[in-house]
Amino acid sequence: MTLGGDCRNCRLMLAYALRRVLQSFLVLLVVGLVAFSMFRFVGDPVDNLLGQERTQEDIERVRADLGLDDPFLVQYWTFLKKAATGDFGLSYRQARPVGDIIAERAPATLELALVSGTMAIFFGVVLGIFTAIRRDGWVANVIMSTSLIGVSLPTFLIGILLIYLFSVELGWLPSFGRGEVVDLGWWTTGFLTASGLKALILPSITLGLYQMTLIMRLVRSEMLEVLRADYIRFARARGLREKSVNFRHALKNTLVPVITVTGLQLGSIIAFAIITETVFQWPGVGLLFINAIQFVDIPVMAAYLMLISVMFVGINLVVDLLYFAIDPRLRADRTKAH
Amino acid sequence: MSDPVLSIRDLTVEIPTRGGLLRPVDQVSYDIAKGEILGVVGESGAGKSMAGNAVIGLLNRPAKITGGEIWLNGTRIDKLQGENMRRLRGKDIGMVFQDPLTSLNPLLTIGDQLTETMLQHLSITQTEARKRAIAALEEVGIPAASERLDSYPHEFSGGMRQRVVIALALCAEPSLIIADEPTTALDVSVQAQIIALLKRLCRDRGTAVMLITHDMGVIAETADRVAVMYAGRLAELGPVREVITAPEHPYTDGLMGSTPLASKGLKRLRQIPGSMPRLTAMPTGCAFHPRCPKAQDICRHDPRPRRDGGRAACHFPITHSAEETA
Ligand SMILES: Nc1ncnc2c1ncn2[C@@H]1O[C@H](COP(=O)(O)OP(=O)(O)OP(=O)(O)O)[C@@H](O)[C@H]1O
Ligand SMILES: [Mg+2]
């Protein structure tokens, strides 16, 4: 029952957020364990660092430096402490701090993910609503049929087709790379130059198309479901305008379930970026990871794994909190649960 | 008597299907006067809801009004389309649905839903609408109405939610309320309260009510007149007391026989043998003849019996002695 006011909701929200943050940390600890295990069990780090000509002394020294003789838990703890500060050691291949390498590459991937994620959500939601409201119109039917292509074609094929059409045949857009980027010191951006923006178009379409289609189909089916609900009939029976029925009463209810899936999709955009970055030779962390696998560059792989999981967990956290903010029933259930 | 609020004449609703044209409402006529409560009863599938939905213009496709007329306060409304019909809904015709748990939008506060409806139909300000929303909630018996205005539907019990639904249906002061089984989904203990509330509010305002229900007990206590529907057709229409104590249509008679009614004492319940015909397999002549103990040849052939002047649409209405009717 109402104890009155927003403040109660604030406190509830805070308690809920704290719990979710804690859970997120647990997840990261587990992923950290996996990443850490790669160091220990895939290849021999001493081999990797010292090469063929080495003395027993060298080996002892490196083992001591790396703390390889410490108990497992102590090593894990040291790894975590360093990881938290972005220190994953030196790349085996480039012999530079992995943190620096990732920091150089992350902006490319994040900008790509941001653009394609925004596109996927925007067009996915708009087209989903449109095809639900006009479900018998021919435009909606054409969109729905075309969208089947979006889900069924593999990402790399879409990328190659786009390159063929817009780069090779028409010559409008670049087929690889980021174009000119502006260095802001801590970040390099392609948003500020024409060539940077042009270079973003094809990769973001390639990366976002699948997610957009998925979001669109999801929004459509949820919206159709909601439009059949009793409260929508009742809203119509009270003479509310179609606009209000569709966008005030139906849309909000549609978005509650859509938010979860969309959040997960955004997480997978960053993971899927590996393929798109390979097709377009996009200098992001995905490409870095693919190269790292070829050279068994464990520190880079571990750092990538951690980065991706931080993103996933972060997005999940935001989604859960959004959920909480939108749906009053959730707030009530929490009150009862405690 | 003054002009009726609602007057439907030979209303027919049809659904085209692959198996042919179905007629869930077939030439139904009745009036509801100002302040009058008309009970509409009949088995499941008799077409009660379909007739109500036709009046408020909310038939689900592919069902369509294909014949007859609907008049509301002297204006013909069955031909109204889109915006013109929308403006009547809520303003002139209110509707109460069966399930209060699903009738309210879970993500909007009840205050939001009330004020939005009022602002849609009345030229008042937001503050005025809020004031009226509180008054409306008080009227339907929600305690501490001004505090509950910002609550969400899930914070109310089923009975309280149905009160909110009634407040919503009445908030723009419509002249007709269609209540489609307003208590079926509720606890038995609150059913009577909700019916009493609906009755009081409509009497106070002179609202005409179409009360659709399975429950003859509710009809007996609440309605002024009753319309008995069978397979999309009107079997009998008349004042409640007369129809209950002295039914003229054999179907009504059977229906009363199978309803335990306190006023009739503890008679053994009679069951009508057989079941209502499906719309895809309607018999010729009177739809009830396959189950009717009094059926004759004439009942099996078209044209079917009509309710000309009398209460029942039957070739052989049951006659009652004066003492039975009393
Ligand atoms: N889309 C449809 N296609 C075919 N038949 C339909 C369709 N919609 C409704 N019907 C039929 O129309 C008839 C009338 O239904 P209606 O909902 O009006 O019955 P009702 O008297 O309100 O019953 P209940 O008491 O169960 O609510 C039913 O026999 C139903 O099967
Ligand atoms: Mg019904």
Side-chain angles (χ1 to χ4, degrees):
Chain A
M1 290 290 115
T2 41
L3 296 171
D6 291 330
C7 205
R8 179 192 58 133
N9 283 342
C10 293
R11 252 181 297 136
L12 271 176
M13 181 119 176
L14 202 66
Y16 179 65
L18 273 177
R19 246 184 11 167
R20 291 292 291 114
V21 169
L22 230 82
Q23 284 170 1
S24 308
F25 267 114
L26 277 178
V27 172
L28 289 181
L29 280 184
V30 173
V31 178
L33 190 61
V34 173
F36 169 66
S37 307
M38 292 201 316
F39 276 104
R40 292 257 317 195
F41 303 117
V42 182
D44 180 351
V46 179
D47 269 358
N48 287 325
L49 278 179
L50 288 180
Q52 291 308 314
E53 288 167 31
R54 58 193 177 187
T55 62
Q56 191 58 34
E57 255 163 55
D58 287 338
I59 294 176
E60 304 277 302
R61 186 173 43 77
V62 168
R63 285 192 74 83
D65 277 357
L66 293 180
L68 289 179
D69 299 320
D70 293 340
F72 179 83
L73 275 179
V74 174
Q75 287 189 44
Y76 176 42
W77 178 241
T78 317
F79 168 80
L80 283 179
K81 270 197 303 197
K82 286 187 167 173
T85 63
D87 179 1
F88 286 88
L90 295 183
S91 156
Y92 295 162
R93 186 162 153 255
Q94 302 186 29
R96 293 170 52 211
V98 173
D100 292 356
I101 301 177
I102 296 263
E104 264 168 40
R105 298 289 201 116
T109 298
L110 289 178
E111 286 190 351
L112 178 61
L114 182 74
V115 172
S116 46
T118 314
M119 263 176 22
I121 292 179
F122 179 78
F123 289 109
V125 170
V126 167
L127 291 178
I129 295 169
F130 178 83
T131 50
I133 294 177
R134 298 276 167 83
R135 66 178 167 288
D136 298 322
W138 65 270
V139 183
N141 282 324
V142 169
I143 294 175
M144 284 307 287
S145 320
T146 327
S147 77
L148 275 179
I149 302 173
V151 243
S152 51
L153 281 188
T155 307
F156 74 90
L157 196 60
I158 293 174
I160 289 169
L161 287 177
L162 287 177
I163 289 177
Y164 177 75
L165 186 63
F166 291 101
S167 309
V168 180
E169 285 297 312
L170 297 171
W172 290 351
L173 297 166
S175 63
F176 67 91
R178 264 186 106 184
E180 275 174 59
V181 291
V182 177
D183 194 345
L184 302 177
W186 52 280
W187 188 271
T188 57
T189 179
F191 289 156
L192 297 178
T193 65
S195 87
L197 288 173
K198 267 168 100 176
L200 264 166
I201 297 176
L202 292 186
S204 357
I205 293 178
T206 308
L207 182 55
L209 197 62
Y210 179 79
Q211 268 72 22
M212 184 204 86
T213 322
L214 223 61
I215 292 173
M216 176 189 108
R217 297 183 79 90
L218 183 75
V219 167
R220 181 188 124 96
S221 67
E222 285 297 336
M223 182 101 174
L224 285 178
E225 184 80 31
V226 168
L227 284 175
R228 276 195 294 270
D230 278 354
Y231 55 83
I232 295 298
R233 263 185 88 69
F234 190 37
R236 290 223 167 86
R238 299 202 302 274
L240 302 185
R241 284 175 205 285
E242 268 313 281
K243 208 168 73 187
S244 166
V245 171
N246 285 333
F247 295 102
R248 197 171 131 82
H249 290 259
L251 185 59
K252 214 174 168 195
N253 281 284
T254 303
L255 291 185
V256 172
V258 166
I259 284 175
T260 328
V261 178
T262 304
L264 293 178
Q265 288 308 313
L266 290 187
S268 55
I269 275 190
I270 294 174
F272 269 122
I274 293 181
I275 299 168
T276 307
E277 288 185 8
T278 311
V279 172
F280 288 92
Q281 287 299 302
W282 190 261
V285 285
L287 197 59
L288 180 71
F289 178 66
I290 289 290
N291 293 334
I293 289 180
Q294 279 165 7
F295 293 94
V296 201
D297 197 343
I298 304 284
V300 173
M301 288 160 68
Y304 177 79
L305 194 66
M306 288 307 286
L307 182 73
I308 295 293
S309 39
V310 167
M311 298 263 184
F312 255 95
V313 168
I315 289 173
N316 250 316
L317 193 63
V318 172
V319 164
D320 274 356
L321 295 181
L322 264 183
Y323 224 66
F324 195 86
I326 285 189
D327 194 339
R329 285 166 297 185
L330 218 59
R331 303 200 280 265
D333 290 346
R334 303 280 161 198
T335 352
K336 270 179 216 139
H338 295 267
Chain B
M1 202 160 62
S2 60
D3 279 346
V5 172
L6 176 75
S7 174
I8 65 182
R9 289 282 163 269
D10 289 325
L11 179 67
T12 303
V13 173
E14 287 179 332
I15 305 175
T17 67
R18 252 175 275 149
L21 210 55
L22 307 182
R23 213 168 270 161
V25 179
D26 193 353
Q27 300 188 40
V28 170
S29 304
Y30 48 71
D31 291 349
I32 310 180
K34 192 165 166 19
E36 184 186 37
I37 300 179
L38 176 79
V40 179
V41 289
E43 285 167 67
S44 189
K48 309 179 296 287
S49 302
M50 203 62 98
N53 292 340
V55 170
I56 200 169
L58 281 179
L59 285 174
N60 286 326
R61 274 180 302 172
K64 242 175 69 186
I65 300 176
T66 55
E69 298 172 3
I70 304 172
W71 294 76
L72 185 76
N73 298 317
T75 319
R76 190 165 168 189
I77 62 167
D78 54 296
K79 293 269 190 277
L80 290 185
Q81 294 290 323
E83 263 303 274
N84 294 327
M85 192 65 217
R86 180 193 63 74
R87 242 172 270 151
L88 285 185
R89 285 190 214 118
K91 175 103 183 80
D92 296 287
I93 312 173
M95 188 140 186
V96 176
F97 289 99
Q98 178 174 338
D99 191 352
L101 299 187
T102 55
S103 292
L104 298 169
N105 191 328
L107 300 188
L108 298 176
T109 64
I110 58 166
D112 268 348
Q113 302 186 48
L114 270 166
T115 48
E116 184 184 11
T117 310
M118 287 194 229
L119 290 170
Q120 181 64 251
H121 297 296
L122 314 169
S123 32
I124 51 175
T125 63
Q126 180 76 39
T127 6
E128 175 69 15
R130 242 184 110 80
K131 250 189 245 154
R132 286 211 202 181
I134 294 172
L137 289 178
E138 271 164 2
E139 226 188 332
V140 295
I142 304 270
S146 54
E147 285 148 47
R148 303 310 299 276
L149 201 60
D150 296 315
S151 305
Y152 290 92
H154 71 261
E155 296 171 281
F156 293 85
S157 68
M160 284 296 156
R161 279 195 233 184
Q162 196 64 315
R163 287 170 191 265
V164 174
V165 168
I166 291 174
L168 273 164
L170 285 170
C171 69
E173 312 246 315
S175 48
L176 171 71
I177 285 280
I178 301 173
D180 193 345
E181 309 197 26
T183 57
T184 314
L186 294 176
D187 260 19
V188 184
S189 55
V190 292
Q191 284 184 358
Q193 295 170 19
I194 294 295
I195 288 290
L197 172 72
L198 197 61
K199 188 169 172 174
R200 174 172 61 78
L201 291 177
C202 294
R203 287 268 190 271
D204 289 353
R205 297 155 197 240
T207 315
V209 182
M210 183 193 297
L211 178 62
I212 299 170
T213 174
H214 285 122
D215 190 339
M216 279 307 293
V218 167
I219 297 281
E221 278 164 37
T222 320
D224 301 300
R225 285 187 309 141
V226 59
V228 182
M229 286 189 72
Y230 185 77
R233 302 169 184 182
L234 198 57
E236 184 161 353
L237 173 68
V240 160
R241 271 209 75 73
E242 290 172 32
V243 173
I244 288 179
T245 55
E248 283 185 1
H249 198 289
Y251 173 65
T252 321
D253 190 44
L255 202 63
M256 296 309 149
S258 58
T259 311
L261 262 190
S263 61
K264 293 192 84 182
L266 278 170
K267 269 193 212 163
R268 270 197 58 190
L269 295 184
R270 266 180 293 153
Q271 284 284 330
I272 317 176
S275 58
M276 198 170 69
R278 272 176 297 148
L279 295 176
T280 44
M282 285 291 282
T284 54
C286 172
F288 187 60
H289 84 249
R291 301 169 76 186
C292 184
K294 305 181 72 179
Q296 306 278 326
D297 252 3
I298 181 178
C299 305
R300 299 187 184 100
H301 300 296
D302 292 327
R304 61 179 155 109
R306 295 189 51 101
R307 216 179 52 81
D308 296 315
R311 264 164 37 205
C314 180
H315 292 299
F316 307 102
I318 304 167
T319 49
H320 296 267
S321 61
E323 135 203 2
E324 248 182 309
T325 329

